[in-house]
Amino acid sequence: MDYEAVIGLETHVQLKTRSKMWCGCANVFGAPPNTHVCPVCLGLPGVLPVANDEALRLTVLTGLLLHARIEPFAKFDRKNYFYPDMPKNYQITQYDRPSTTGGHVEFEFEGGIRRVRLTRAHLEEDVGKSFHFDRHSGVDFNRAGVPLLEIVSEPELASAAMAYAYLNALKDILVHGGISDCDMEKGMVRCDVNVSVRPRGAPTLGAKIEIKNMNSFSGVRKALDYEIARQTDALRRGRTLQQSTRRWDDAAGITEEMRTKEDAHDYRYFPDPDLMPFAPDETWLAEVRRRSVELPLERKQRFMRDYQLPACDAQAFVADVPLGDYFEAVARSSRHPKAVANWIINNLRAQMAETGVGLHELKFTPAAIPELVELVERGRINSKTAQDVFVEMFATGAAPEAIVARRGLAQVSDAGALEAFCDQVIAAHPKSAADFRAGKAAALNFLKGQVMKLSRGKANPALAGEILERKLRQHP
Ligand code: ADP
Ligand code: ZN
Ligand code: MG
């Protein structure tokens, strides 16, 4: 029998706010333990939480970027459980009335575009961090109360590779939208992985196995590969699988059972009496809508379509948004956007990296690169010369045509002048000429190089090549 995997992901993302979710403590990573804590995030008696407005805005902005429904009414519940890293003994979370429902993520996978639907995205708070030493343990509450958004997917992912692609696409959207820095090293994105296996095409889902608290996408992929094989193997042997929670042991490369459904928590959810429900008004929503951005995939597709760029060039302008914006501003006036993109991605980036000059400090005008492209297209200079012109225009801000005129760099396409160069070269290199006539095609390139050298780089290379070849064949 043939089996298929079904995967759904619950992705937790730390929001990029300056302060924590319910208090004014800084939301920063890496500070000495317990230096960003206060009575609110330590859960001391008698304190009152105040919702962080920016976290609410980022939650709704995420909903917009993920094509979700923005709910007119959301509320916060208390999820009760006892754990040392959670000082209040409950976590505040949107439970049955989350801020956003539905939506989807689109991403490139196996040569096509896939769409995975989302169930919901709800706002909650992070917990502290436990540390275990030789003879004692400690807890750092700096992370306690950091705003955390949980994005829940429908069970629509079909393989480890697809889950990996989904996670990367989701991360790109969140980073692009300024929702989160998504720095994995700093634990800003963590994932609960749900996976089941069933006979291919079966009408119902198999028993859900949840792998908790994964902190790297490559870990998710490895854990899924392992778990799908394990479950498939068990089913093949005729065993039935139980809904359960497992843990990924990265060093050993295996998952281990932690608990089954029978010992699942009862969280005793109830509405937090200290917090007002969240019902954003139209003005507030409009302000958030203004912060919406074009999605990375849409941007890539638009660059490919509108400027006929290859996928890798378009991707370069998605990865570096200011560079892509600069490209758009200058390419609009050019008949050769593809060539303009080449200059920006290769030459401009290299010069900027070498000199430390930023896009706002460029000395040449926005018209300069299209002008340079035009000079090459018209045959006024060859592409080798254009490289030198670019370096000078980057350094001084002079216009390409002015540089060409002043330094006398115009390409030599005049047949008479080229013939003279070719005659001179053939006379100076009788051995290579003889080699070519004897059938060594490579000798022509050498001779062509000599013509370029003689012309100080200005010969029209294509024409020079033609003339050379004709002359070599004419005079055996
Ligand atoms: P819970 O309430 O226990 O968190 P949910 O039904 O809300 O469980 O689902 C949590 C996540 O697990 C979602 O991402 C969902 O898509 C996924 N999921 C649910 N059932 C299955 C299943 N049988 N196999 C794989 N994933 C599943
Ligand atoms: Zn605090
Ligand atoms: Mg769950």
Side-chain angles (χ1 to χ4, degrees):
M1 174 136 30
D2 192 17
Y3 291 90
E4 65 180 355
V6 176
I7 301 159
L9 298 176
E10 296 161 280
T11 310
H12 298 82
V13 183
Q14 283 185 351
L15 297 179
K16 191 176 175 174
T17 57
R18 285 170 54 200
S19 55
K20 292 188 185 181
M21 188 61 224
W22 315 114
C23 62
C25 291
N27 171 10
V28 290
F29 176 85
N34 299 307
T35 51
H36 294 292
V37 294
C38 73
V40 174
C41 55
L42 287 175
L44 301 188
V47 298
L48 284 174
V50 177
N52 182 327
D53 205 43
E54 178 63 1
L56 294 166
R57 286 192 288 263
L58 291 176
T59 299
V60 169
L61 180 57
T62 304
L64 295 174
L65 297 181
L66 299 180
H67 314 280
R69 255 187 319 282
I70 308 302
E71 296 294 339
F73 177 95
K75 68 178 176 59
F76 293 99
D77 279 65
R78 291 185 179 180
K79 177 181 182 179
N80 297 278
Y81 63 100
F82 178 79
Y83 204 76
D85 63 16
M86 209 180 46
K88 296 196 293 286
N89 285 340
Y90 60 83
Q91 178 190 30
I92 303 176
T93 176
Q94 293 181 330
Y95 177 54
D96 56 341
R97 303 297 298 263
S99 274
T100 94
T101 56
H104 61 259
V105 177
E106 275 185 339
F107 53 100
E108 293 174 296
F109 183 65
E110 289 179 344
I113 303 292
R114 300 303 176 94
R115 174 182 289 198
V116 167
R117 286 176 301 162
L118 301 172
T119 315
R120 53 194 263 151
H122 59 266
L123 184 55
E124 53 186 41
E125 56 176 328
D126 214 338
V127 295
K129 244 190 256 180
S130 300
F131 293 89
H132 303 291
F133 307 103
D134 279 354
R135 302 184 57 90
H136 67 287
S137 291
V139 193
D140 174 11
F141 290 111
N142 284 346
R143 198 177 70 178
V146 164
L148 202 61
L149 189 65
E150 176 170 341
I151 299 163
V152 182
S153 87
E154 289 288 300
E156 294 186 347
L157 295 151
S159 68
M162 191 177 175
Y164 186 75
Y166 161 87
L167 284 171
N168 278 301
L170 180 60
K171 175 184 162 188
D172 285 349
I173 293 169
L174 297 172
V175 171
H176 200 78
I179 309 289
S180 170
D181 288 335
C182 291
D183 189 334
M184 313 291 294
E185 313 271 275
K186 297 180 180 169
M188 289 181 184
V189 186
R190 277 120 54 202
C191 210
D192 294 339
V193 176
N194 303 272
V195 52
S196 58
V197 167
R198 64 180 174 187
R200 189 170 295 283
T204 54
L205 293 175
K208 182 182 84 172
I209 312 286
E210 179 168 14
I211 311 163
K212 282 257 180 225
N213 224 357
M214 304 286 308
N215 55 19
S216 87
F217 293 172
S218 57
V220 168
R221 191 166 57 178
K222 283 189 274 181
L224 277 170
D225 275 330
Y226 174 87
E227 190 57 25
I228 291 167
R230 185 189 71 83
Q231 292 180 29
T232 307
D233 184 62
L235 294 179
R236 284 223 168 90
R237 288 163 194 272
R239 286 180 38 210
T240 35
L241 291 164
Q242 289 271 321
Q243 182 173 328
S244 58
T245 302
R246 298 178 74 88
R247 190 183 81 83
W248 169 245
D249 181 338
D250 199 56
I254 58 165
T255 61
E256 304 169 314
E257 183 158 291
M258 286 166 68
R259 57 175 185 264
T260 54
K261 199 180 176 183
E262 284 74 58
D263 37 55
H265 290 291
D266 173 7
Y267 292 119
R268 296 176 294 116
Y269 285 99
F270 63 86
D272 192 308
D274 292 338
L275 285 162
M276 292 288 284
F278 174 55
D281 63 30
E282 203 34 57
T283 321
W284 190 96
L285 285 171
E287 197 188 307
V288 177
R289 271 191 217 107
R290 275 196 293 277
R291 290 170 63 176
S292 192
V293 294
E294 184 181 33
L295 294 179
L297 182 58
E298 287 172 355
R299 184 173 168 89
K300 180 174 176 182
Q301 290 171 330
R302 184 170 63 79
F303 275 64
M304 290 173 72
R305 188 182 60 235
D306 290 2
Y307 305 106
Q308 281 86 51
L309 298 188
C312 59
D313 287 6
Q315 188 57 48
F317 292 141
V318 175
D320 187 337
V321 171
L323 196 72
D325 291 347
Y326 177 79
F327 163 75
E328 286 213 271
V330 309
R332 263 193 256 281
S333 65
S334 174
R335 291 181 299 137
H336 310 284
K338 166 79 189 94
V340 171
N342 275 338
W343 284 102
I344 291 176
I345 292 171
N346 301 318
N347 304 66
L348 179 59
R349 264 209 309 210
Q351 287 291 318
M352 290 195 334
E354 204 177 301
T355 57
V357 167
L359 276 175
H360 295 293
E361 303 159 307
L362 296 181
K363 292 195 177 139
F364 56 83
T365 66
I369 291 180
E371 184 187 326
L372 183 63
V373 167
E374 205 57 40
L375 291 181
V376 177
E377 293 293 329
R378 284 201 339 253
R380 171 114 171 99
I381 54 176
N382 65 38
S383 50
K384 171 75 181 57
T385 304
Q387 302 284 330
D388 297 338
V389 173
F390 184 86
V391 171
E392 181 171 338
M393 83 184 212
F394 182 87
T396 66
E401 176 54 48
I403 297 170
V404 171
R406 185 174 52 74
R407 286 173 48 190
L409 297 174
Q411 175 165 256
V412 178
S413 298
D414 170 67
L418 289 176
E419 297 217 4
F421 285 135
C422 293
D423 289 339
Q424 231 178 307
V425 163
I426 292 171
H429 301 279
K431 171 86 171 60
S432 301
D435 284 352
F436 177 76
R437 287 175 184 129
K440 268 201 203 165
L444 185 67
N445 275 336
F446 169 78
L447 293 168
K448 205 168 129 182
Q450 295 307 307
V451 171
M452 294 309 293
K453 208 162 145 188
L454 198 59
S455 71
R456 283 181 293 126
K458 294 187 293 189
N460 178 324
L463 271 182
E466 276 169 35
I467 293 171
L468 252 184
E469 197 171 344
R470 174 165 48 76
K471 282 185 180 293
L472 288 166
R473 291 193 199 286
Q474 261 169 14
H475 310 285

